[in-house]
Amino acid sequence: MNTSLSLPRLHGAVPARLLPVAGRAERCAIAAFLAKAGMIDAYSVPPDWIAGNDDEIDIALQALENWFRREAPHLGCLDPHFIVESMYEIDPEATPSNKIEAPVIGLSIKWGERNVSRWTVGAGFEALEQAVPRLGATVLDVIDKQGGLVYPLFTPAVALEQASLLFWYGEEDESLLLEDLAGQCSESEIEAMRDDIVTKEDIDAAFPAWATNLTRARLSERALSTVATRHTDRFVRTAASLALRLLRLRPVSNFMPKCEGEGVYIGFGAVLCWRDNDIAMRLSDAMARRAWEGDEETYDHIGEIELHIGDIKGMRDWMRAMRRQLRMIALLDALIEHLAAR
């Protein structure tokens, strides 16, 4: 007689993973913190989402991502994302191996670009400049200066700066570099090296002078408003209107990374090329490669904040400030998309 054997099964009510009481308490504390601050509610998450999630960081991260999608739902060129880490109560007597057992007291939140993209915008800027002198320069100036406060982009001015830092010893052109090489290399070797560096002539050939000049002449806000409302060309009106709206917004706080100035920033939201596959791509790739292969410290997050559990006001203040940031990011995104469509 054949008797089939079957393995015992657990009742469906038994959880697949058992958490210590402390772990469940931390999970609930973070969920309650986010709910009281208004980041999550019954309409934004499934009923069993928190109960079925045993990772407090995943709860916070999903809440942030869901909140972000509600606040900025239509981005097409930029792709912001969040990084969340637990903050633990530090016991000075604890060893590295048992610090993780300390209770979670807060969240460290960082944000930046998920996937750096490249957009060709030169034709759009030149069309603006041709339609209204200094309009292209004005729109680019708004992108450089307002974008630099909330979501830095790799613009022609940044390309010039990186060429100077990467190849010219921080000088205005490659003259000092060539002087150094002259004492060490033959003329044929120097000529061969020219192919491997970006020269000032390369920059000047790639971009108009006003595109790399951060002290460029620009239209007044009143003149920009006039173009936005009265110009006959829809492309011109839309670009001026987006730039004007971005210009009039001021971030409540820029939440700059703590490591700003202590390393090489490589987290630009997008590379703005003047022509397809132009020198901006080469410079952004060289910057990233040097940072990754070298001994220099790098960072790629745009902003960060630390919030203690229970600081409901702090979280609400941050969310209020970030809404302004996200409006500015959405306008940057719309400008890039508009210019690239030309």
Side-chain angles (χ1 to χ4, degrees):
M1 179 178 179
N2 294 327
T3 303
S4 59
L5 299 176
S6 61
L7 294 174
R9 295 183 179 180
L10 294 174
H11 189 276
V14 178
R17 179 182 173 189
L18 296 178
L19 289 177
V21 172
R24 292 197 299 271
E26 289 171 356
R27 181 187 66 185
C28 292
I30 288 177
F33 170 54
L34 298 174
K36 289 177 181 178
M39 180 165 286
I40 57 178
D41 55 38
Y43 302 100
S44 61
V45 297
D48 60 345
W49 176 56
I50 294 174
N53 197 321
D54 56 18
D55 187 329
E56 70 273 3
I57 291 302
D58 192 42
I59 288 173
L61 183 57
Q62 288 188 44
L64 279 164
E65 295 284 357
N66 290 343
W67 174 78
F68 164 71
R69 282 192 290 269
R70 296 197 303 273
E71 296 293 331
H74 303 303
L75 299 185
C77 301
L78 305 175
D79 188 17
H81 75 124
F82 292 97
I83 301 168
V84 181
E85 297 177 345
S86 295
M87 291 166 51
Y88 295 94
E89 184 175 358
I90 302 300
D91 179 355
E93 307 257 331
T95 63
S97 62
N98 66 15
K99 277 187 181 179
I100 196 68
E101 301 300 328
V104 174
I105 60 171
L107 298 174
S108 168
I109 304 172
K110 299 177 182 179
W111 57 95
E113 173 64 28
R114 193 189 316 267
N115 296 300
V116 179
S117 56
R118 296 177 170 93
W119 300 90
T120 302
V121 295
F125 278 117
E126 289 174 359
L128 297 179
E129 196 69 10
Q130 184 175 3
V132 180
R134 297 200 304 274
L135 177 58
T138 301
V139 173
L140 182 54
D141 202 65
V142 172
I143 289 174
D144 264 318
K145 292 172 181 174
Q146 292 292 85
L149 296 175
V150 294
Y151 214 79
L153 305 178
F154 198 95
T155 63
V158 175
L160 174 60
E161 179 186 30
Q162 290 301 318
S164 175
L165 294 174
L166 290 170
F167 300 107
W168 310 340
Y169 301 154
E171 300 292 323
E172 294 183 355
D173 59 32
E174 69 278 9
S175 300
L176 183 59
L177 169 65
L178 294 178
E179 287 178 15
D180 280 356
L181 292 176
Q184 306 172 30
C185 308
S186 66
E187 288 188 12
S188 60
E189 289 174 326
I190 293 175
E191 287 303 314
M193 289 180 186
R194 283 180 179 271
D195 294 333
D196 296 327
I197 68 171
V198 173
T199 66
K200 183 61 164 58
E201 184 179 357
D202 294 332
I203 295 289
D204 292 342
F207 309 111
W210 53 264
T212 57
N213 184 3
L214 287 176
T215 60
R216 56 179 75 93
R218 52 178 286 176
L219 299 175
S220 67
E221 184 175 331
R222 182 177 180 180
L224 186 61
S225 178
T226 299
V227 174
T229 55
R230 299 183 183 179
H231 201 278
T232 57
D233 186 288
R234 182 178 178 182
F235 176 82
V236 173
R237 287 198 313 274
T238 300
S241 176
L242 290 169
L244 185 64
R245 290 165 59 193
L246 180 56
L247 178 64
R248 289 174 171 172
L249 284 175
R250 294 290 185 273
V252 178
S253 173
N254 55 19
F255 303 111
M256 296 306 291
K258 293 180 179 179
C259 53
E260 186 193 17
E262 300 177 3
V264 178
Y265 178 68
I266 59 172
F268 294 97
V271 179
L272 301 188
C273 299
W274 214 255
R275 301 283 181 267
D276 289 341
N277 302 313
D278 71 3
I279 202 166
M281 290 181 58
R282 180 180 171 190
L283 283 164
S284 64
D285 288 344
M287 177 198 68
R289 185 168 58 251
R290 178 173 174 176
W292 292 331
E293 294 177 353
D295 297 327
E296 298 170 292
E297 293 292 328
T298 65
Y299 64 100
D300 60 3
H301 56 287
I302 292 167
E304 67 178 283
I305 190 171
E306 293 181 350
L307 292 163
H308 285 255
I309 293 176
D311 185 7
I312 307 300
K313 182 181 183 301
M315 174 59 91
R316 288 175 178 168
D317 289 345
W318 176 75
M319 291 169 63
R320 188 180 304 110
M322 278 300 294
R323 287 189 181 99
R324 177 79 61 88
Q325 309 280 73
L326 291 174
R327 285 201 295 274
M328 296 178 73
I329 292 170
L331 287 168
L332 276 173
D333 184 272
L335 261 176
I336 296 171
E337 188 170 31
H338 184 66
L339 293 164
R342 188 65 172 186

